[in-house]
């Protein structure tokens, strides 16, 4: 699809619609398999498709944009015309606060200016040691049952949560990781139920679901508020409790962040940033690591090639930030895993004004869907799109594709601020894990669904064996049993 002009007069051809049930449209298709529904819409009708869902009077119309050029227009060149004003983002905002992921306008610009200095490449590279330490703990735990079976979905969620909590909270990681692990699933499921429902009862009504979610939010907010209060007392004094050195954990740096123009974060704003970093910083990386291991477990030739590169580059030493550029094939593996299983498989916006995209016009007020899940499988840019092939991400191959044929971190002025951290964490963790263990898939197919991030709807088990050849009893390790 070619980039279009933004004419409110020439509306172009009518946007094709996906056929659905007479009364409810595609409501049940979206509820049962939204990713498959979007993929089917693109295959049948092209790169801009209208999907209706819900009964008359509460019916939603989704304008789905699937081409790289359309994604670039929505996220970058015409980003001001598309806002995070939809119903789903409001539910995320109500549960996880008004942080970088959900804020808009001057709130967002102010937050971004205050946070940006904490996410420079040099600053993020300093977190490599914390990632390596948490990865080493997982490797050691798995060593209790070499040759056993691990669920890499659960295990990578545990690893990514521990790593981001350690970077955020320093030595307070033990006080937070368990609370986050317990409360986050309750809150995210609550957001999903409300976010995809055409109508919701008020949050303050004392229903069982509302009470469970409120209790989880109270517990999560409480532990964050206690640590934030301590950080605000110690920020700038050099007496913090950072993971690597005093006052150097991310929360201490956020508490100390200030400028003459933007002031500083108050306690509520700090908590909002922390909650968003926890949400976006562990589920996304966990997804990338899980599926990279799963795909390599199903493709032993690529697994061996990645391990050979790791061994040649690292030997026995612990990887650091400088090794990212020295492990190009491993990076290609991760990028291909993120193509097939993007952590943010669907991105929503609301059109502020009527906007022409290609041969069609999206009307003002419309809900707009971008789907990396679909664009990353677009046959025009990805031959044999369901095949795992890290060679798609050689520098030469990347240069031959449109910029937004692959956009797991979004794009434009609201591109993910933590994308370098995600790649740093993923490369270091994957390098250390593959150096220690070989992987063979037990579950060859993993059902997935679109939550706030991509979620597995079943186990992702792999049989592991120490690379040094040491064998042991086949013990099936599920999440938590190895801790």
């Amino acid at each position: 699809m070619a980039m279009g002009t933004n004419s409110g007069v020439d509306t172009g051809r009518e946007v094709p619609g996906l056929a659905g049930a007479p009364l409810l449209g595609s409501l049940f298709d979206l509820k049962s398999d939204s990713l498959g529904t979007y993929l089917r819409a693109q295959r049948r009708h092209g790169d801009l498709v209208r999907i209706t869902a819900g009964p008359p009077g509460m019916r939603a119309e989704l304008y789905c944009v699937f081409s790289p050029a359309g994604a670039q227009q929505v996220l970058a060149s015409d980003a001001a015309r598309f806002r995070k004003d939809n119903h789903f983002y409001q539910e995320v905002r109500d549960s996880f606060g008004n942080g970088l992921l959900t804020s808009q306008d001057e709130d967002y610009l102010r937050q971004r200016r205050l946070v940006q200095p904490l996410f420079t490449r040099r600053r993020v590279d300093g977190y490599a040691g914390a990632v390596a330490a948490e990865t080493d703990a997982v490797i050691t735990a798995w060593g209790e049952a070499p040759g056993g079976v691990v669920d890499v979905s659960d295990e990578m969620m545990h690893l990514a949560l521990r790593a981001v909590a350690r970077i955020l909270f320093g030595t307070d990681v033990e006080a937070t990781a368990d609370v986050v692990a317990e409360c986050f699933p309750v809150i995210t499921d609550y957001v999903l139920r409300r976010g995809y429902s055409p109508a919701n009862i008020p949050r303050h009504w004392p229903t069982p679901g509302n009470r469970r979610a409120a209790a989880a939010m109270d517990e999560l907010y409480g532990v964050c508020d206690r640590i934030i209060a301590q950080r605000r007392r110690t920020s700038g004094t050099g007496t913090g409790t950072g993971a690597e050195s005093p006052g150097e954990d991310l929360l201490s740096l956020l508490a100390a962040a200030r400028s003459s123009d933007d002031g500083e974060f108050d306690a509520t704003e700090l908590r909002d940033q922390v909650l968003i970093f926890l949400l976006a910083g562990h589920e996304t990386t966990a997804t990338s690591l899980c599926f990279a291991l799963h795909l390599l477990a199903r493709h032993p030739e690529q697994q061996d090639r990645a391990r050979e590169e790791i061994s040649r580059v690292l030997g026995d030493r612990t990887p650091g930030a400088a090794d990212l550029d020295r492990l190009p094939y491993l990076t290609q593996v991760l990028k291909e895993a993120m193509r097939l299983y993007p952590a943010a498989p669907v991105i929503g916006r609301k059109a502020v004004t009527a906007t022409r995209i290609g041969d069609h016009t999206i009307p003002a007020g419309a809900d707009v869907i971008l789907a990396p899940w679909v664009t990353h499988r677009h046959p025009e840019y990805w031959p044999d799109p369901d095949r795992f092939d890290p060679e798609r991400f050689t520098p030469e191959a990347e240069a031959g594709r449109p910029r937004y044929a692959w956009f797991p971190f979004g794009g434009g002025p609201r591109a993910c601020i933590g994308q370098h951290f995600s790649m740093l964490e993923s490369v270091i963790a994957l390098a250390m894990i593959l150096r220690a263990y070989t992987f063979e898939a037990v579950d060859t197919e993993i059902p997935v669904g679109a939550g706030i991030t991509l979620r597995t709807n079943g186990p992702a088990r792999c049989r592991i064996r120490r690379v040094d050849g040491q064998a042991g009893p086949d013990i099936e390790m599920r999440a938590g049993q190895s801790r």
Side-chain angles (χ1 to χ4, degrees):
M1 179 190 298
M3 294 282 284
T5 60
N6 298 312
S7 169
V9 177
D10 179 10
T11 59
R13 293 188 287 113
E14 181 180 359
V15 176
L18 184 68
L23 183 62
L24 297 177
S26 297
L27 177 65
F28 289 119
D29 289 335
L30 289 171
K31 281 185 173 291
S32 63
D33 181 16
S34 62
L35 299 179
T37 301
Y38 294 137
L39 194 62
R40 186 169 66 254
Q42 193 277 332
R43 296 294 189 267
R44 291 181 180 178
H45 299 293
D47 288 338
L48 203 160
V49 184
R50 179 175 50 85
I51 300 178
T52 61
M58 292 189 296
R59 179 162 293 174
E61 284 195 333
L62 307 177
Y63 287 77
C64 305
V65 179
F66 298 126
S67 69
Q72 183 168 2
Q73 192 171 342
V74 172
L75 293 177
S77 58
D78 274 342
R81 293 173 173 264
F82 298 94
R83 294 170 54 82
K84 293 189 172 186
D85 281 339
N86 60 28
H87 172 57
F88 187 83
Y89 272 115
Q90 187 57 52
E91 291 295 333
V92 177
R93 194 176 290 116
D94 288 343
S95 292
F96 290 102
N98 195 42
L100 273 177
L101 178 67
T102 51
S103 62
Q104 300 193 100
D105 304 323
E106 184 52 40
D107 281 346
Y108 173 77
L109 294 173
R110 173 177 171 270
Q111 291 175 16
R112 184 95 182 195
R113 288 192 296 264
L114 284 169
V115 170
Q116 188 70 58
L118 310 186
F119 280 86
T120 63
R121 189 180 184 96
R122 179 180 178 185
R123 175 69 73 179
V124 170
D125 287 351
Y127 298 133
V131 173
E134 293 298 338
T135 305
D136 190 60
V138 169
I139 290 170
T140 300
W142 288 359
E144 297 174 6
V149 174
V150 298
D151 185 337
V152 293
S153 177
D154 291 340
E155 296 292 314
M156 293 303 98
M157 192 69 75
H158 171 87
L159 167 58
L161 172 57
R162 289 277 309 185
V164 75
R166 176 170 178 158
I167 289 164
L168 265 170
F169 298 114
T171 55
D172 286 311
V173 60
E174 304 299 340
T176 56
D178 289 344
V179 172
V180 173
E182 179 181 350
C183 295
F184 256 57
V186 176
I187 302 171
T188 55
D189 285 347
Y190 181 68
V191 168
L192 289 175
R193 286 196 302 271
R194 294 179 64 86
Y196 288 121
S197 175
N200 289 303
I201 62 173
R203 284 179 171 237
H204 66 270
W205 286 16
T207 64
N210 280 352
R211 290 200 303 267
R212 281 193 301 271
M217 283 186 277
D218 285 346
E219 185 173 4
L220 182 62
Y221 290 7
V223 71
C224 290
D225 287 345
R226 287 193 295 275
I227 297 173
I228 286 168
Q230 188 271 338
R231 286 300 190 279
R232 292 190 72 82
R233 290 192 297 269
T234 60
S235 63
T237 66
T239 58
T241 53
E244 305 304 320
S245 60
E248 288 299 305
D249 60 66
L250 185 55
L251 179 53
S252 291
L253 297 173
L254 283 168
R258 57 182 54 87
S259 76
S260 57
D261 293 329
D262 298 309
E264 60 184 345
F265 291 127
D266 63 28
T268 299
E269 290 176 316
L270 271 177
R271 185 221 291 153
D272 289 351
Q273 300 305 329
V274 166
L275 292 174
I276 290 298
F277 290 155
L278 284 170
L279 172 66
H282 87 275
E283 292 191 355
T284 53
T285 302
T287 297
S288 299
L289 285 170
C290 164
F291 284 105
L293 289 171
H294 165 71
L295 288 164
L296 289 174
R298 292 175 52 200
H299 297 85
E301 181 179 344
Q302 286 87 345
Q303 183 181 162
D304 289 343
R305 181 174 172 184
R307 186 173 294 108
E308 185 280 327
E309 179 184 74
I310 294 163
S311 177
R312 172 168 41 83
V313 172
L314 298 180
D316 294 330
R317 66 179 176 81
T318 300
D323 292 308
L324 265 67
D325 294 334
R326 300 169 183 157
L327 296 167
Y329 187 73
L330 188 63
T331 301
Q332 290 172 215
V333 166
L334 278 165
K335 287 183 173 182
E336 176 70 342
M338 294 161 72
R339 179 186 72 84
L340 287 166
Y341 298 97
V346 177
I347 299 170
R349 293 289 190 269
K350 185 175 283 291
V352 176
T353 62
T355 303
R356 180 76 175 266
I357 295 184
D359 294 330
H360 309 285
T361 294
I362 294 177
D367 285 311
V368 178
I369 295 293
L370 302 178
W373 181 267
V374 178
T375 307
H376 288 187
R377 289 169 166 77
H378 199 302
E380 184 175 344
Y381 310 101
W382 306 101
D384 194 5
D386 293 325
R387 178 170 54 89
F388 173 66
D389 181 9
E391 292 299 309
R392 301 181 198 267
F393 288 92
T394 63
E396 297 78 16
E398 287 191 286
R401 283 191 299 269
R403 160 65 182 85
Y404 282 79
W406 183 82
F407 58 112
F409 298 108
R414 297 204 61 138
C416 175
I417 198 172
Q419 56 186 288
H420 176 59
F421 169 69
S422 180
M423 291 301 296
L424 173 82
E425 181 179 4
S426 298
V427 169
I428 288 176
L430 194 57
M432 294 178 67
I433 290 169
L434 289 174
R435 183 171 59 184
Y437 292 100
T438 62
F439 289 77
E440 177 186 354
V442 174
D443 300 301
T444 55
E445 299 296 330
I446 305 174
V448 297
I452 296 179
T453 58
L454 188 71
R455 54 169 50 183
T456 57
N457 292 329
R461 293 169 296 178
C462 294
R463 191 174 304 279
I464 61 171
R465 184 173 294 272
R466 292 289 306 197
V467 169
D468 59 17
Q470 297 176 4
D474 286 344
I475 299 175
E476 189 163 309
M477 293 182 355
R478 301 305 297 266
Q481 291 182 324
S482 62
R483 315 298 174 211

